[in-house]
Amino acid sequence: MSRPSPTHRIAIDTGGTFTDCVWVERGRVRMLKVFSTPVDPSQAIADAVAKISARSRIVLLHGTTVGTNTLLQRKGARVALITTAGFEDMIEIGRQARPKLYDFFFDRVEPLVPSELRFGIDERTDAEGQILNRPSLQELESLAAKVAETKPEAIAISLLFCFANPANERAVAQALMKLGAPLSTSHQILPEFREYERTSTVVVNAYLQPVMQRYLKSLDRRLRDAASQVRRHSNIFVMQSSGGITALDTAVREPVRTVLSGPAGGVVGAAATARRSGLEQIISFDMGGTSTDVALVDREAHASSQSEVAGLPVGVPMLDIHTVGAGGGSIARFDAAGALRVGPESAGADPGPICYGKGVLPTVTDAHLILGRLQPHCFLGGEFQLDLERTRPVVKQWLGKQHSDLSLEQFAAGVIRVVNSNMEKALRVVSIERGHDPRRFALVAFGGAGGLHACELAQALGIPRVVVPALPGALSAFGILVSDVVKDYSRTVLWRVADKIPFARLEKEFAQLSQSAQRDFRTEGWAGAIREQRSVDLRYRGQGYELNIPLRRSLLADFHAAHARRYGYSHADREVELVTLRLRATLKSPQGRIGAGPIRADSPRAAARPTRRDSLSRQERLPVIFSGKKFPTAIYRRDQLAIGKRHSGPAVITEYSATTVVPPGMRFWLDDAGSLLVKVR
């Protein structure tokens, strides 16, 4: 009898420049970085899987940027929107909020559904769930005929107050099912009030559905074809924006839940590795090739139900992540007034920075190479050499064309200062602007470029400590690997209370949400104990926005305290509204224990051929520019640092997936968990 083939759980995060892979092999965490293939991201994934495992059964955990890129590039499906008659223009009217109040030339974000694809149906349900007007069979058939004429690729249905009673919405869906286009119904995707945000969310879901379906089905088919040649089997699961994985079929049906799946993996990974170093309050700082994602974690990562992606409201739970267009591939330029700008345009994977061999426009990566902060022969463990000899003349020639009299070093230092300023603003958004003192937090830096900037950013914000975890260049993939299976459920109730919470009614409503969770987990074939987190959105009567509070017997007192903490005041004698009930159902990942113990990380060729740096002494010092001055700087390989031994900056610490720069005057060491700690002040 032949032995069953082992199972490889491989987490893959597709980025703009690199596709990162992380898996566990013989008790060690392994990683692989390959260049992304933007035209067909599944190509890079299939190539990476082929390198990692020949005959093992594959469980692929995937963080994808397909949804995000589709929204940013406006390359989604042709969507028809069905709503209550008279509300067809709701997604165009929106909230009438002007992001730039005094900008006369500001262009608003165009709705995803043009006016000719919006259809009204004569129906009405009131706020209490009572149906006032049911659409007739004739009206439904007429609607189906009109929609069919427009040949939509997907259909979004969002009727008024369907969260209170979805009967009319179900009838419309039933009538349109025969058209064969994917259906997105708001009572299933987001059964909450605020018709504009709910409709926007269901439209985004429909807009992404055919694109995500083609991509994920293509990836599944590509992996299965490769698997059949070596007699193995593969399954695919997808990372959600809320910080948990879900089954392939669910991601295809509700792709709106995946638009920030890669960055969410980074937050989960940062929190998991920080806990191993005894840190519960962190700011995650993920700088990749095209963008930087930052998030604040105060003991646990919190999901927000009021997010915006590409200027469009999205109401499904997402980890509270702020993104700016600043990455290693961000392109530097001079504007019309002669001021230096960096990003948001990026060189991406093709052509990439100048030092990659094909690019012709200067980037942040090129600036670091000119300043000596990146060592040409240490990139990707020596597997890929950065071309300094090409970079210097190309950048110099570019500066000449811009009629700039800056030296190469002055220009490179300016690029770093500008991009740092952009990222410092992002860090302030998630901390200071939301009432958090950054001096109480640690900055967890990861991504291929995070360690290059973290110490200077921490110094500017008064953050006392920087943490660079193991696998910094692939921490998003590591976070996906250790993520739990998560499903979120919600329902708007709009109950008013004075001084007593109706816990019996709450229990009844939450029991229904719990039954839905149990059913969905069973349908997808998950086994194990399901952990539930219950919470309620509350507000004072008359307010327009809510605070989410965990459900406990002290719910009212907790709300008053949270309101005082957020806004500086509370009204203990004022009537309170229970707005939306939320349930998060979680099933622990079998890889979750990795996040709790020591991590020993290897690159695929860690023990292969020696690189030039292997022959250099750890004590050798090379010139690196800080604040316009050259400093003799120690160059370390991270795997040569002894745990607990303290070192002083300036220093450059290299490893397979990233480089960390420690400016003069700072101290650093490896802790028992394998994380690199830098004491900023």
Side-chain angles (χ1 to χ4, degrees):
M1 180 178 176
S2 61
R3 296 176 59 188
S5 61
T7 298
H8 260 144
R9 292 175 63 90
I10 303 173
I12 294 186
D13 175 39
T14 302
T17 306
F18 288 100
T19 293
D20 303 329
C21 314
V22 172
W23 71 100
V24 176
E25 188 174 313
R26 298 186 180 91
R28 298 183 73 92
V29 179
R30 307 290 301 278
M31 65 177 156
L32 172 69
K33 293 177 78 72
V34 298
F35 283 104
S36 296
T37 50
V39 175
D40 182 8
S42 66
Q43 180 63 55
I45 296 172
D47 293 344
V49 170
K51 291 180 181 180
I52 293 170
S53 177
R55 294 189 174 275
S56 301
R57 177 179 178 270
I58 299 298
V59 174
L60 185 68
L61 312 175
H62 184 24
T64 175
T65 57
V66 169
T68 312
N69 293 339
T70 299
L71 286 175
L72 292 174
Q73 298 169 11
R74 291 294 182 113
K75 293 183 177 180
R78 177 179 170 86
V79 177
L81 171 63
I82 314 323
T83 188
T84 304
F87 290 82
E88 295 89 342
D89 295 330
M90 178 189 348
I91 61 169
E92 186 148 8
I93 297 171
R95 293 292 175 192
Q96 299 190 14
R98 291 178 62 92
K100 298 181 179 179
L101 189 60
Y102 301 106
D103 185 353
F104 293 108
F105 304 100
F106 174 75
D107 293 326
R108 64 181 177 81
V109 176
E110 290 292 331
L112 296 178
V113 183
S115 58
E116 64 269 17
L117 289 175
R118 305 174 203 154
F119 301 88
I121 182 75
D122 188 17
E123 68 81 39
R124 184 56 71 96
T125 303
D126 69 12
E128 302 300 322
Q130 181 180 353
I131 295 180
L132 305 179
N133 184 17
R134 295 180 186 273
S136 67
L137 182 61
Q138 184 178 359
E139 289 173 320
L140 292 174
E141 290 178 350
S142 175
L143 173 67
K146 292 178 183 178
V147 174
E149 289 177 0
T150 65
K151 296 182 172 57
E153 296 174 301
I155 299 172
I157 307 172
S158 180
L159 306 183
L160 287 186
F161 298 109
C162 64
F163 60 86
N165 187 341
N168 281 356
E169 198 166 273
R170 286 173 178 156
V172 173
Q174 184 67 32
L176 298 178
M177 195 173 297
K178 61 184 179 183
L179 301 184
L183 297 177
S184 297
T185 54
S186 68
H187 75 273
Q188 292 180 319
I189 293 171
L190 192 67
E192 300 180 19
F193 81 144
R194 292 197 174 101
E195 63 273 14
Y196 168 56
E197 287 77 9
R198 174 163 49 85
T199 302
S200 175
T201 302
V202 75
V203 165
V204 168
N205 192 80
Y207 188 73
L208 298 178
Q209 206 168 6
V211 177
M212 188 66 75
Q213 182 175 5
R214 287 194 295 269
Y215 169 68
L216 291 177
K217 294 297 184 184
S218 172
L219 176 60
D220 186 47
R221 183 169 57 253
R222 188 187 289 271
L223 292 180
R224 290 182 184 277
D225 290 345
S228 64
Q229 298 176 16
V230 293
R231 300 178 184 176
R232 73 180 182 200
H233 180 64
S234 62
N235 287 330
I236 300 176
F237 300 93
V238 181
M239 186 69 178
Q240 300 177 99
S241 309
S242 60
I245 61 172
T246 190
L248 177 70
D249 290 343
T250 302
V252 169
R253 186 174 63 253
E254 298 185 7
V256 68
R257 298 185 184 275
T258 70
V259 292
L260 291 181
S261 70
V267 177
V268 173
T273 53
R275 278 193 294 268
R276 296 170 52 250
S277 296
L279 300 171
E280 296 283 348
Q281 294 177 297
I282 67 166
I283 301 174
S284 69
F285 171 63
D286 176 9
M287 184 177 180
T290 57
S291 63
T292 294
D293 303 306
V294 298
L296 186 139
V297 178
D298 192 350
R299 294 175 177 82
E300 65 177 349
H302 292 282
S304 171
S305 58
Q306 299 175 0
S307 303
E308 196 174 272
V309 180
L312 301 168
V314 176
V316 296
M318 295 184 180
L319 294 185
D320 196 3
I321 300 169
H322 184 65
T323 302
V324 291
S330 293
I331 297 171
R333 70 187 190 283
F334 292 99
D335 65 15
L340 180 60
R341 306 286 185 182
V342 181
E345 297 82 4
S346 174
D350 186 13
I354 295 171
C355 58
Y356 284 11
K358 292 192 294 182
V360 294
L361 298 176
T363 67
V364 174
T365 297
D366 298 313
H368 281 297
L369 186 63
I370 291 170
L371 295 175
R373 300 180 179 194
L374 280 175
Q375 298 299 306
H377 43 274
C378 296
F379 197 72
L380 289 183
E383 294 177 14
F384 184 86
Q385 180 131 345
L386 300 178
D387 194 343
L388 179 60
E389 300 304 319
R390 179 178 189 269
T391 302
R392 294 184 67 88
V394 172
V395 174
K396 190 171 184 178
Q397 183 181 20
W398 181 86
L399 284 171
K401 292 180 180 179
Q402 309 304 312
H403 306 291
S404 172
D405 56 0
L406 294 174
S407 69
L408 284 178
E409 288 73 16
Q410 289 173 330
F411 169 71
V415 169
I416 302 304
R417 285 197 299 272
V418 171
V419 78
N420 278 352
S421 176
N422 294 340
M423 294 184 293
E424 183 182 336
K425 292 176 184 176
L427 292 170
R428 288 178 178 273
V429 167
V430 300
S431 58
I432 296 172
E433 291 185 15
R434 297 180 185 174
H436 298 282
D437 185 349
R439 294 172 296 183
R440 296 191 294 109
F441 291 79
L443 185 65
V444 179
F446 54 103
L452 291 167
H453 298 261
C455 292
E456 292 174 336
L457 289 170
Q459 192 171 42
L461 288 167
I463 298 173
R465 180 169 294 184
V466 169
V467 182
V468 183
L471 313 167
L475 194 71
S476 292
F478 175 78
I480 295 170
L481 184 68
V482 302
S483 289
D484 301 326
V485 183
V486 173
K487 292 186 178 298
D488 292 285
Y489 302 85
S490 62
R491 181 168 184 262
T492 293
V493 292
L494 290 173
W495 296 341
R496 294 177 182 174
V497 298
D499 55 1
K500 188 176 181 180
I501 298 292
F503 285 104
R505 292 178 67 191
L506 280 176
E507 178 59 36
K508 184 178 179 180
E509 294 292 340
F510 273 112
Q512 294 181 15
L513 298 179
S514 180
Q515 289 173 7
S516 298
Q518 297 285 343
R519 182 182 62 250
D520 291 344
F521 273 90
R522 287 196 303 270
T523 300
E524 293 183 1
W526 301 106
I530 299 174
R531 175 172 169 256
E532 294 183 355
Q533 293 174 280
R534 299 180 175 185
S535 62
V536 183
D537 290 354
L538 295 94
R539 66 185 182 189
Y540 292 117
R541 183 181 177 185
Q543 287 185 323
Y545 294 94
E546 305 81 46
L547 292 177
N548 181 256
I549 309 296
L551 179 61
R552 296 186 296 190
R553 303 303 296 185
S554 57
L555 181 64
L556 266 182
D558 292 345
F559 166 68
H560 294 310
H563 197 281
R565 187 165 56 250
R566 181 68 177 268
Y567 300 110
Y569 69 94
S570 63
H571 295 291
D573 56 347
R574 189 169 172 179
E575 191 174 31
V576 172
E577 287 182 318
L578 309 185
V579 179
T580 301
L581 312 183
R582 302 189 184 278
L583 182 140
R584 166 167 280 209
T586 304
L587 190 66
K588 296 298 291 183
S589 164
Q591 303 280 188
R593 60 183 179 275
I594 297 174
I599 296 177
R600 296 181 296 171
D602 284 338
S603 66
R605 299 173 180 82
R609 57 182 175 81
T611 66
R612 178 182 169 188
R613 176 53 51 198
D614 290 316
S615 63
L616 294 177
S617 165
R618 287 186 302 166
Q619 305 304 315
E620 181 166 349
R621 294 179 177 269
L622 298 176
V624 177
I625 297 175
F626 294 93
S627 302
K629 298 180 181 178
K630 286 186 178 180
F631 288 82
T633 301
I635 312 297
Y636 296 91
R637 255 184 39 188
R638 181 163 174 163
D639 58 8
Q640 292 178 334
L641 295 177
I643 289 178
K645 184 177 180 181
R646 307 227 166 187
H647 306 268
S648 297
V652 173
I653 302 102
T654 67
E655 56 188 299
Y656 173 75
S657 65
T659 297
T660 301
V661 171
V662 181
M666 298 185 187
R667 303 268 293 169
F668 65 94
W669 65 96
L670 281 183
D671 68 3
D672 292 336
S675 292
L676 179 66
L677 303 185
V678 182
K679 186 178 181 182
V680 178
R681 59 178 179 85

